[in-house]
């Protein structure tokens, strides 16, 4: 019987740098929404599922969830990691955040998006910096350390920044550290979801992981290699792009008989 695939070693993140990355990405989003008129705020986002105004409120709610959870009593035990959040528990958060977004809209229907994001950024900066990184949060999917949850905010922010850019038809800047954190976390989630060493996934300059059960290479060029850029990877991992279309557009290079990850993607939606 072949040995069981080895679990990837958990990646560590510097909480201070993650906090800075979240704040920096919020600044980029605020700059993008400053001065939007009502017609632009009413534009559809993500296949018409919501408007730009609603998407901005959701971006704010995703970050403000950190402060909300810090203000709640700590749960008794740790249950999930950042990678586990990606694989399974983001769905519970999505449902909970929908209620937060709706409540915020009802409480302040005329709040300008830029002002909403500024208030959220200030609250996040104050509470996250004053809270120990190992503090447990009662997240919707289960108890999670603050430092792990902060990394998931990079995924949420960067992915929804892409949604906002697509809806507005305009470029929005990405903080390099936020983009790196999001890329690495989703790459690690792929390695955890499909453990193994037969395929090497390269997302330069931020991540390289091995995944998919099968023969493991130990030296030289791997027989199965997938390579793409960070933004394409984020779209694939979150269902914003599909494997076949990205492959046809040469946004992915895939070599080797096992280098087809379509069965493993998306990781989150």
């Amino acid at each position: 019987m072949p040995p069981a695939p080895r679990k990837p070693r958990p990646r560590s993140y510097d909480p201070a740098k993650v906090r800075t990355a979240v704040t920096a990405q919020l600044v980029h989003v605020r700059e993008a929404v400053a001065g939007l008129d009502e017609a632009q705020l009413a534009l559809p986002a993500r296949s018409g599922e919501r408007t730009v105004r609603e998407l901005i409120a959701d971006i704010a709610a995703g970050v403000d969830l950190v402060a909300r959870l810090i203000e709640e009593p700590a749960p008794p035990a740790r249950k999930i990691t950042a990678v586990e959040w990606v694989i399974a528990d983001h769905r519970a958060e999505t449902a909970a955040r929908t209620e937060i977004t709706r409540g915020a809209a009802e409480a302040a229907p005329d709040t300008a998006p830029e002002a909403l994001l500024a208030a959220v950024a200030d609250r996040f900066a104050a509470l996250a910096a004053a809270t120990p990184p190992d503090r447990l949060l009662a997240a919707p999917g289960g108890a999670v350390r603050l430092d792990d949850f902060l990394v998931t905010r990079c995924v949420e922010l960067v992915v929804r920044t892409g949604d906002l850019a697509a809806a507005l038809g305009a470029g929005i800047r990405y903080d390099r550290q936020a983009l790196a954190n999001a890329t690495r976390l989703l790459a690690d989630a792929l390695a955890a979801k499909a453990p193994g060493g037969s395929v090497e996934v390269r997302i330069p300059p931020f991540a390289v992981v091995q995944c998919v059960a099968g023969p493991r290479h130990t030296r030289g060029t791997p027989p199965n290699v997938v390579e793409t850029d960070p933004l394409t990877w984020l779209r694939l991992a979150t269902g914003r792009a599909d494997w076949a279309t990205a492959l046809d557009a040469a946004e992915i290079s895939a070599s080797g008989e096992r280098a087809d990850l379509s069965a493993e993607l998306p990781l989150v939606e």
Side-chain angles (χ1 to χ4, degrees), residues 1 4 6 11 15 26 41 52 81 84 87 104-105 110 112 121 132 140 184 192 200 203 221 227 231 258 267:
M1 178 181 295
R6 292 183 297 177
R11 194 187 300 270
L26 271 176
L41 292 171
V52 165
T81 64
E84 289 165 340
I87 295 174
D110 299 322
R184 290 166 182 156
E200 184 164 287
I203 313 163
T221 303
E227 184 166 332
L231 290 178
R258 295 175 181 268
L267 299 170

Side-chain angles (χ1 to χ4, degrees), residues 89-189:
D89 295 296
H90 67 282
R91 295 179 183 85
E93 182 198 319
T94 299
R97 201 169 66 239
T98 298
E99 295 303 316
I100 295 173
T101 303
R102 184 180 296 115
E106 292 173 353
D110 299 322
T111 301
E114 188 178 4
L116 173 64
L117 292 169
V120 165
D122 290 344
R123 194 162 115 93
F124 167 82
L127 286 175
T131 305
D134 61 352
R135 160 71 147 82
L136 291 180
L137 306 180
V144 61
R145 285 171 54 118
L146 173 60
D147 52 0
D148 278 340
F149 196 65
L150 287 175
V151 182
T152 73
R153 299 309 85 195
C154 289
V155 174
E156 290 285 308
L157 258 177
V158 169
V159 169
R160 281 167 173 73
T161 295
D163 291 343
L164 182 61
L168 294 175
I172 302 177
R173 290 191 294 166
Y174 292 92
D175 175 74
R176 179 179 173 83
Q177 191 63 50
L179 182 59
N181 291 341
T183 301
R184 290 166 182 156
L185 180 54
L186 290 174
D188 290 346

Side-chain angles (χ1 to χ4, degrees), residues 2-251:
R6 292 183 297 177
K7 291 184 178 181
R9 181 179 300 176
R11 194 187 300 270
S12 62
Y13 297 85
D14 183 327
K17 290 182 178 180
V18 178
R19 289 197 307 269
T20 299
V22 170
T23 299
Q25 191 57 43
L26 271 176
V27 169
H28 294 328
V29 174
R30 284 172 56 194
E31 291 172 346
V33 305
L36 293 182
D37 58 30
E38 287 302 317
Q40 291 171 307
L41 292 171
L43 289 171
R46 281 218 70 196
S47 303
E49 295 173 4
R50 67 182 80 185
T51 64
V52 165
R53 182 186 289 279
E54 290 168 335
L55 174 57
I56 295 168
D58 191 55
I59 290 171
V63 176
D64 197 46
L65 188 56
V66 176
R68 288 172 178 263
L69 295 178
I70 288 174
E71 291 175 336
E72 294 179 2
R78 181 181 181 187
K79 294 182 180 178
I80 63 172
T81 64
V83 167
E84 289 165 340
W85 173 88
V86 171
I87 295 174
D89 295 296
H90 67 282
R91 295 179 183 85
E93 182 198 319
T94 299
R97 201 169 66 239
T98 298
E99 295 303 316
I100 295 173
T101 303
R102 184 180 296 115
E106 292 173 353
D110 299 322
T111 301
E114 188 178 4
L116 173 64
L117 292 169
V120 165
D122 290 344
R123 194 162 115 93
F124 167 82
L127 286 175
T131 305
D134 61 352
R135 160 71 147 82
L136 291 180
L137 306 180
V144 61
R145 285 171 54 118
L146 173 60
D147 52 0
D148 278 340
F149 196 65
L150 287 175
V151 182
T152 73
R153 299 309 85 195
C154 289
V155 174
E156 290 285 308
L157 258 177
V158 169
V159 169
R160 281 167 173 73
T161 295
D163 291 343
L164 182 61
L168 294 175
I172 302 177
R173 290 191 294 166
Y174 292 92
D175 175 74
R176 179 179 173 83
Q177 191 63 50
L179 182 59
N181 291 341
T183 301
R184 290 166 182 156
L185 180 54
L186 290 174
D188 290 346
L190 172 65
K193 180 183 178 184
S198 68
V199 180
E200 184 164 287
V201 180
R202 302 171 179 172
I203 313 163
F206 299 132
V208 177
V209 297
Q210 293 188 353
C211 59
V212 182
R216 186 181 187 89
H217 71 275
T218 57
R219 65 177 66 182
T221 303
N224 302 285
V225 177
V226 172
E227 184 166 332
T228 189
D229 64 274
L231 290 178
T232 298
W233 166 241
L234 293 175
R235 289 193 292 268
L236 288 167
T238 60
R240 272 70 173 171
D242 69 272
W243 179 266
T245 301
L247 196 62
D248 288 344
E251 295 173 335

